Amino acid sequence: EGAGVCSRARAMRLVFVVVVAAVLVVAACAMRGALASGNWTQLAHCTFGDNADPPPYSSCYPPPRTLCRALSTASNVLYVYGGRSEVGGLEQPPHMWKYTRNLGWSIEYPSASATVGLGYANARDGHVMVRMPSTPTSFFVHGGFTSTATYCNYTTAKACERVSTPMTATSDAWVYDTVGKAWTRVFPWGTSPSGRHAHSGVVVGNYMYAFGGIDSSGTVLAMLHRIQLSTRASQ
């Protein structure tokens, strides 16, 4: 009888092993199928004619080649801001580019008179841009590598006048409203992080967390900061 019990136990263990192996095989096949279907796709630059919108609001060409841009999304539209060109200069003027699946790329200009550094964020790269949780049609922009002596008048020629000053890592903060197409300089409460660029940022709940980056002297940072976006209290 003891031998029979042992035989039954071994048989049950064998059945269990076979079932587990079958489940793992099915899971692996399902995962492989999911990965195979998740391929990258290069999207078209523009999906409408040159005259779909009056110039310059529809350009029908993509943003110039740049690095260290910021990318975020609002209302199913991708927004790209800032960046540095392949020859080393900041994008001038600092356009807010947007991409939609049915229209492609276009430039979104401010809806009202604005001057860079006063009512319009300075050109910059290596900044953080995240969507505001309480107002999902707005972005919070922080930091970056910039020059404070760059001014753009969007009421006339939409061109920039650059003054030769050193580049610096900034800690300024801005909110961009995609509905009103307007920038607002904001001044957080508490102690703000030191100026930095190339840092990382993410929104969790009503907080934006920022980590690391590089300051103006080239020092690599390892501090973690957060800001309460509704009250703009830094911690």
Side-chain angles (χ1 to χ4, degrees), residues 4 28 62 65 74 83 130 166 178 182 186 211 232:
R65 296 181 186 179
V130 296
T178 63
V186 295
F211 177 76
R232 302 193 183 109

Side-chain angles (χ1 to χ4, degrees), residues 36-205:
S37 63
N39 296 328
W40 286 94
T41 302
Q42 183 174 351
L43 304 178
H45 292 326
C46 188
T47 55
F48 60 92
D50 291 336
N51 297 320
D53 269 329
Y57 300 101
S58 296
S59 49
C60 209
Y61 59 87
R65 296 181 186 179
T66 48
L67 61 154
C68 303
R69 286 186 182 272
L71 169 70
S72 194
T73 179
S75 303
N76 296 319
V77 178
L78 293 175
Y79 287 85
V80 172
Y81 179 70
R84 179 178 298 275
S85 74
E86 56 186 337
V87 296
L90 296 178
E91 183 186 32
Q92 301 286 356
H95 291 313
M96 177 68 77
W97 294 81
K98 64 180 183 180
Y99 183 90
T100 59
R101 288 297 302 271
N102 60 329
L103 294 178
W105 287 106
S106 61
I107 298 174
E108 185 166 285
Y109 291 106
S111 59
S113 173
T115 302
V116 170
L118 300 176
Y120 198 96
N122 299 76
R124 64 192 63 212
D125 71 352
H127 48 293
V128 166
M129 183 170 74
V130 296
R131 185 169 58 180
M132 301 277 287
S134 57
T135 52
T137 57
S138 296
F139 299 119
F140 182 83
V141 176
H142 173 260
F145 208 50
T146 184
S147 170
T148 56
T150 305
Y151 304 96
C152 300
N153 190 329
Y154 283 87
T155 61
T156 54
K158 295 184 173 63
C160 287
E161 177 183 346
R162 195 180 314 177
V163 180
S164 179
T165 58
M167 297 288 291
T168 183
T170 182
S171 187
D172 62 353
W174 295 78
V175 171
Y176 180 75
D177 175 19
T178 63
V179 176
K181 301 179 182 178
W183 287 94
T184 302
R185 176 77 184 271
V186 295
F187 299 90
W189 295 95
T191 303
S192 296
S194 58
R196 63 196 59 209
H197 66 107
H199 51 311
S200 301
V202 67
V203 171
V204 179

Side-chain angles (χ1 to χ4, degrees), residues 8-63:
R8 287 195 296 271
R10 283 195 297 269
M12 291 179 65
R13 285 197 296 269
L14 179 61
V15 170
F16 176 77
V17 170
V18 170
V19 170
V20 170
V23 170
L24 291 176
V25 169
V26 171
C29 291
M31 182 176 293
R32 185 172 60 183
L35 291 174
S37 63
N39 296 328
W40 286 94
T41 302
Q42 183 174 351
L43 304 178
H45 292 326
C46 188
T47 55
F48 60 92
D50 291 336
N51 297 320
D53 269 329
Y57 300 101
S58 296
S59 49
C60 209
Y61 59 87

